[in-house]
Amino acid sequence: MSRRKPVEVFDDWAKQGKDEGMESGHAAAVGEMLALALSKVAELGKEFAAIDAGCGNGWVVRDLAMMPLCRRAIGVDGAESMIKKAKEIDPDGEYHHADLQEWRPEIPVDLVHSMEVFYYVEDTNAMLSHIATWLKPDGYLIFGVDRYMENPESHDWDSQVGCFMALLSEDEWSKVVTDAGFSIVKRWRAAPDPSRDWPGTLAFLCINEGH
């Protein structure tokens, strides 16, 4: 059976209303990740611009836009139906339907967030190197992935969904990050849930030092 493109999967999920489940399912981990990232950005003591890479229906963009020092929040997603939903919910927001591996902002930003996106890309190093160009020098990248080698529950997700998903260990993810020119500020497992044997989202806060 031929594999589908990840954007086709997400396009269907948006049409089926699964984006709302993604929002609720990832809220705890994303909240933990953003709290740390925003505390670092706040230390700069100035207004900031942020991008959510793989924004889905725009829920993180809307959260970022509410932050007192956020002057601009941008969402980018390759799934057209996700962007359509984001614009319906938030007509005044800034959302772009584009290939994350090709798009870039006209002006580098201070913070990039991404949740459950990077393992859908076959060349993760190239993706992260490209994301680095979105950031100002010393800008921050905060991202999380639920599919990684130390999370056995995630190992068969590619078969279930029918599209490519990279499966890397925690240390392999760290190498991809540093090879792309980032320094790791913190690596941890966000929002673990022992009650259901969930190890948590593998999360990284990184600072852009290579561009």
Side-chain angles (χ1 to χ4, degrees):
M1 184 176 69
S2 61
R3 283 180 168 176
R4 304 175 68 197
K5 293 180 179 180
V7 292
E8 294 174 345
V9 172
F10 283 104
D11 205 54
D12 283 348
W13 286 356
K15 293 173 182 175
Q16 295 165 17
K18 290 186 177 181
D19 54 296
E20 295 175 8
M22 293 162 65
E23 177 179 345
S24 60
H26 298 318
V30 168
E32 195 176 310
M33 290 158 52
L34 284 180
L36 178 60
L38 290 169
S39 72
K40 293 295 183 181
V41 172
E43 291 173 5
L44 302 175
K46 60 182 182 181
E47 291 185 338
F48 69 92
I51 297 172
D52 186 18
C55 66
N57 70 14
W59 63 283
V60 172
V61 175
R62 296 190 292 277
D63 284 352
L64 287 168
M66 291 170 55
M67 300 298 164
L69 290 176
C70 183
R71 72 172 187 275
R72 189 179 185 189
I74 304 165
V76 189
D77 203 292
E80 187 174 5
S81 292
M82 287 290 187
I83 292 297
K84 182 180 178 182
K85 275 204 169 183
K87 290 180 176 179
E88 289 172 352
I89 297 168
D90 180 20
D92 295 326
E94 183 176 353
Y95 300 98
H96 300 269
H97 171 227
D99 185 337
L100 296 180
Q101 298 175 83
E102 297 178 358
W103 182 88
R104 69 181 65 204
E106 68 275 16
I107 301 173
V109 299
D110 305 281
L111 173 66
V112 172
H113 166 271
S114 189
M115 179 64 180
E116 284 286 84
V117 173
F118 292 150
Y119 59 73
Y120 288 99
V121 179
E122 296 196 29
D123 192 338
T124 50
N125 183 270
M127 180 75 252
L128 285 167
S129 295
H130 180 62
I131 293 289
T133 70
W134 297 10
L135 284 161
K136 295 177 180 178
D138 297 329
Y140 288 98
L141 167 66
I142 183 81
F143 77 93
V145 291
D146 285 344
R147 178 173 160 88
Y148 55 98
M149 192 65 72
E150 290 81 359
N151 181 11
E153 184 179 319
S154 71
H155 288 188
D156 65 347
W157 287 357
D158 55 338
S159 298
Q160 291 181 31
V161 176
C163 71
F164 174 84
M165 296 182 187
L167 181 59
L168 306 177
S169 69
E170 292 179 318
D171 287 343
E172 286 172 331
W173 273 110
S174 292
K175 186 175 187 306
V176 168
V177 168
T178 55
D179 284 352
F182 290 97
S183 289
I184 298 171
V185 177
K186 183 178 181 180
R187 182 186 93 180
W188 80 106
R189 295 183 184 180
D193 185 355
S195 68
R196 64 182 185 96
D197 201 26
W198 177 254
T201 294
L202 177 60
F204 286 85
L205 176 65
C206 320
I207 190 166
N208 180 31
E209 294 188 341
H211 297 267

